Amino acid sequence: MKKILAGLFLLTAFSLLAASCSWFKKKDKPIARAFDEYLYKKDLQGIVPKNVHGNDSIAIVRAFIDQWQQGIVLLKKAEMNVNLDEKYIQEQLDNYRKSLVRFQYEQELIQQKLDTVVNEKDIEAYYNQNKDIFLLKKPILKISYIKLPEEAPKIEMVKKLFVSKDVRDRDLLEKYCFKYSPSFSLLDTNWHYVDDLAKHLPMSRLGENNFQSLNRIFQISENNTLYLLILRDYKFKDSLSPLNFERENIKSMILNQRKLKLISQMEREVFLEAQKNNELEVY
């Protein structure tokens, strides 16, 4: 009886194991093949953004599979038609690994020791000492604008409020804009490239010859839309870029200089330490 029960137990265990293996094989069924290489569903994780669904999702997956198969095909073709220099390839892999290890060490060093505080004094000093590198390659503007439907009411009143410096007039204008304007900017003190402004404002209709006409209203009708524009300030190409426009750029430059200095200092220190410990010799 015990032998029968043992046999039944082994048979049941074997059946469960076989079913389990069958389930895993089914789960791991490839979704694409290229020669003897297989692509599985798990390899697609993160390929499709979470907010993409339906046909767009299918198209992204299909493009990924096509690219994967193309890569395998090209690799196989290269392997069949090129006399591989295995020594050279191994040297390149070794050098690449060394670069990756060194890069990771440098990044950890930067993360631990880099002073990331850049104060206004640092920025101003850098700007004043390097003005020759802050020449504009494209014109920039400060601009206020109101975008309105052509049938919007009381345009003449809006224009008077727009040029007024009275706080109460500005308050009335804001209320009007919130009601009628799909897009407006009344107090923007930032500089903008003309090219960027042209993406949502009719800058080509304004013309560069009018850029010096500050604090007056330009009224432009285009595509059933009325634009009211006031130029607050301008800088032409090849003129000195304003500090406010370069502030973030300068901050990045200062941090990059600090990174290079930190890495150079680290390299010098580890070299001197190796010399001190008699770990370096020249034969």
Side-chain angles (χ1 to χ4, degrees), residues 120-213:
E120 190 62 25
K121 185 177 179 181
D122 295 331
I123 293 173
E124 290 179 2
Y126 192 93
Y127 177 78
N128 291 326
Q129 294 167 11
N130 299 278
K131 287 185 176 181
D132 56 318
I133 68 173
F134 296 117
L135 300 181
L136 289 167
K137 296 180 180 179
K138 296 185 290 186
I140 58 175
L141 294 173
K142 286 183 181 181
I143 192 169
S144 298
Y145 71 89
I146 304 173
K147 182 178 179 181
L148 294 166
E150 280 194 329
E151 66 276 10
K154 302 180 181 179
I155 297 301
E156 291 304 317
M157 180 201 75
V158 172
K159 290 162 68 174
K160 289 179 181 178
L161 295 176
F162 202 8
V163 295
S164 174
K165 295 182 180 179
D166 190 287
V167 175
R168 292 169 296 180
D169 290 342
R170 182 53 53 86
D171 184 56
L172 287 173
L173 181 60
E174 283 187 352
K175 291 177 180 177
Y176 178 93
C177 289
F178 280 122
K179 185 174 182 179
Y180 295 105
S181 174
S183 177
F184 65 94
S185 177
L186 307 179
L187 296 172
D188 187 4
T189 59
N190 294 319
W191 291 96
H192 303 275
Y193 283 118
V194 176
D195 291 351
D196 292 335
L197 293 171
K199 294 175 183 177
H200 62 276
L201 296 175
M203 301 306 297
S204 61
R205 294 278 302 278
L206 181 61
E208 193 170 314
N209 57 311
N210 287 312
F211 286 176
Q212 297 183 58
S213 302

Side-chain angles (χ1 to χ4, degrees), residues 30-258:
I31 59 173
R33 180 183 68 84
F35 293 91
D36 54 350
E37 300 285 340
Y38 292 89
L39 189 70
Y40 295 89
K41 187 176 180 180
K42 61 183 175 59
D43 298 320
L44 300 179
Q45 291 181 359
I47 298 299
V48 180
K50 292 182 179 180
N51 60 338
V52 177
H53 307 283
N55 291 334
D56 291 338
S57 174
I58 294 171
I60 291 173
V61 171
R62 181 71 252 185
F64 179 83
I65 293 173
D66 289 345
Q67 188 176 25
W68 175 81
Q69 289 181 325
Q70 272 193 1
I72 300 296
V73 169
L74 289 173
L75 179 61
K76 294 293 183 182
K77 188 71 172 178
E79 289 176 343
M80 288 187 293
N81 291 276
V82 174
N83 293 323
L84 297 178
D85 186 339
E86 297 293 347
K87 182 180 178 181
Y88 171 76
I89 292 175
Q90 188 59 51
E91 286 176 353
Q92 296 301 307
L93 288 173
D94 290 342
N95 290 335
Y96 183 57
R97 181 184 180 280
K98 291 174 184 176
S99 297
L100 286 178
V101 172
R102 175 172 173 169
F103 176 78
Q104 185 172 339
Y105 176 65
E106 290 175 353
Q107 295 307 302
E108 291 180 3
L109 178 72
I110 288 169
Q111 188 174 8
Q112 293 172 12
K113 296 189 177 182
L114 181 66
D115 178 10
T116 58
V117 177
V118 181
N119 58 44
E120 190 62 25
K121 185 177 179 181
D122 295 331
I123 293 173
E124 290 179 2
Y126 192 93
Y127 177 78
N128 291 326
Q129 294 167 11
N130 299 278
K131 287 185 176 181
D132 56 318
I133 68 173
F134 296 117
L135 300 181
L136 289 167
K137 296 180 180 179
K138 296 185 290 186
I140 58 175
L141 294 173
K142 286 183 181 181
I143 192 169
S144 298
Y145 71 89
I146 304 173
K147 182 178 179 181
L148 294 166
E150 280 194 329
E151 66 276 10
K154 302 180 181 179
I155 297 301
E156 291 304 317
M157 180 201 75
V158 172
K159 290 162 68 174
K160 289 179 181 178
L161 295 176
F162 202 8
V163 295
S164 174
K165 295 182 180 179
D166 190 287
V167 175
R168 292 169 296 180
D169 290 342
R170 182 53 53 86
D171 184 56
L172 287 173
L173 181 60
E174 283 187 352
K175 291 177 180 177
Y176 178 93
C177 289
F178 280 122
K179 185 174 182 179
Y180 295 105
S181 174
S183 177
F184 65 94
S185 177
L186 307 179
L187 296 172
D188 187 4
T189 59
N190 294 319
W191 291 96
H192 303 275
Y193 283 118
V194 176
D195 291 351
D196 292 335
L197 293 171
K199 294 175 183 177
H200 62 276
L201 296 175
M203 301 306 297
S204 61
R205 294 278 302 278
L206 181 61
E208 193 170 314
N209 57 311
N210 287 312
F211 286 176
Q212 297 183 58
S213 302
L214 304 180
N215 299 315
R216 55 164 284 199
I217 291 181
F218 292 91
Q219 181 174 328
I220 301 173
S221 293
E222 186 174 88
N223 299 326
N224 298 319
T225 301
L226 177 66
Y227 297 88
L228 300 178
L229 311 174
I230 297 180
L231 302 183
R232 303 299 185 183
D233 204 352
Y234 74 97
K235 295 284 184 181
F236 283 121
K237 177 184 175 182
D238 296 326
S239 61
L240 179 62
S241 182
L243 174 59
N244 286 344
F245 193 62
E246 299 291 349
R247 182 168 275 103
E248 290 303 314
N249 188 27
I250 292 172
K251 184 177 179 180
S252 297
M253 291 179 176
I254 292 174
L255 288 176
N256 189 56
Q257 284 189 347
R258 290 180 183 176

